[in-house]
Amino acid sequence: MRRALIVLFLIATFGSGLAVAENRNYTKPIESVWDAAIKAVRDVDFVLLDSNRMEHEFEMRTKSWYSHKTGMTMEVTLVATSDSSTTISVTAADPERAKKLAKHIAEYLVALDERMD
């Protein structure tokens, strides 16, 4: 069932070209979601640019095909909710590139979902 929802999400995201869902909720504490979120950056072959564990925020970017030093940047924020669950939000650092980043954000969130299972 969960895989079917992921496939539907990917079809909707890639088909429309819009970042439909940039937030995810997990029923785990923020520290365990943080660890999985950082590891998921490596899973999708992105580059971790900056992180602040105390604030639960980090930046990552895609790798460019022509240079390992360029790419599109995303900002990730984790927020602990009152019922000991965690919400993660992934947004484009440059709003003008949000449409181009939609598939990369979706790819990252799928990798994070796989780590959280």
Side-chain angles (χ1 to χ4, degrees):
M1 176 74 172
R2 183 170 229 168
R3 291 196 189 266
L5 291 174
I6 291 171
V7 170
L8 288 174
F9 171 76
L10 289 174
I11 291 171
T13 302
F14 292 131
S16 66
L18 299 174
V20 176
E22 297 178 340
N23 298 326
R24 291 283 165 87
N25 295 318
Y26 298 103
T27 58
K28 295 187 178 184
I30 194 164
E31 290 304 321
S32 62
V33 176
W34 172 267
D35 292 338
I38 294 295
K39 291 175 183 176
V41 172
R42 182 182 58 227
D43 292 346
V44 291
D45 201 29
F46 290 169
V47 178
L48 184 65
L49 297 175
D50 189 22
S51 68
N52 184 343
R53 190 174 187 119
M54 297 302 292
E55 297 291 324
H56 296 103
E57 299 175 340
F58 65 89
E59 286 186 354
M60 62 183 174
R61 71 169 164 78
T62 62
K63 290 183 179 178
S64 176
W65 63 271
Y66 59 88
S67 173
H68 68 282
K69 294 183 179 183
T70 61
M72 297 180 284
T73 305
M74 295 159 272
E75 297 171 345
V76 181
T77 305
L78 285 78
V79 178
T81 58
S82 60
D83 60 349
S84 72
S85 62
T86 304
T87 301
I88 186 168
S89 174
V90 184
T91 58
D94 181 5
E96 293 178 4
R97 301 192 99 180
K99 190 172 181 179
K100 290 182 180 182
L101 272 171
K103 68 178 182 177
H104 299 291
I105 291 172
E107 178 184 6
Y108 172 75
L109 291 174
V110 167
L112 180 57
D113 285 342
E114 289 175 1
R115 279 209 169 261
M116 295 303 294
D117 282 339

